Amino acid sequence: MRFVRQDQGSVRPGARYRQDVLLPLAPSWDVEVERITAESITRRFLNGMFEGGETVSLKENASGIEVDYVMNYRVKGTFNRILWNLIFCRLHDANIEAILSNLKKFLEKKD
């Protein structure tokens, strides 16, 4: 997965990114930061195979940092639903696990 910033400046509501799945003929889409708090960031899907959005939240607890990921989505179109169920859902879940695991390790090393 590659995230490419589409505008300049700080990460803030309204900032846009292009997300590309790094596989031949794989999907890509644009997202916009919808909300940022001290503990989370929420992005909304602007186009592509999904409607909805995703939120990454961080919470410190006794054992370290808890990283939560929630994706509220609907897959648009019959062809996209077939591809999602056959291929992309498993890839997405594995990719999210790797991204969040690395984020957690990075944050715990900063303390």
Side-chain angles (χ1 to χ4, degrees), residues 35-67:
R35 188 183 57 188
I36 296 178
T37 69
E39 298 85 25
S40 69
I41 184 168
T42 299
R43 298 177 311 144
R44 179 174 51 96
F45 304 116
L46 298 176
N47 52 34
M49 68 186 297
F50 301 117
E51 285 181 359
E54 58 189 353
T55 300
V56 177
S57 303
L58 307 173
K59 184 170 67 172
E60 200 164 350
N61 60 33
S63 62
I65 296 175
E66 181 178 322
V67 179

Side-chain angles (χ1 to χ4, degrees), residues 73-97:
Y73 70 99
R74 184 180 77 78
V75 179
K76 298 188 293 186
T78 303
F79 184 67
N80 286 334
R81 279 193 293 279
I82 291 168
L83 288 176
W84 177 253
N85 290 323
L86 289 177
I87 301 167
F88 293 133
C89 184
R90 281 187 303 274
L91 290 172
H92 173 269
D93 290 351
N95 202 14
I96 291 298
E97 285 291 328

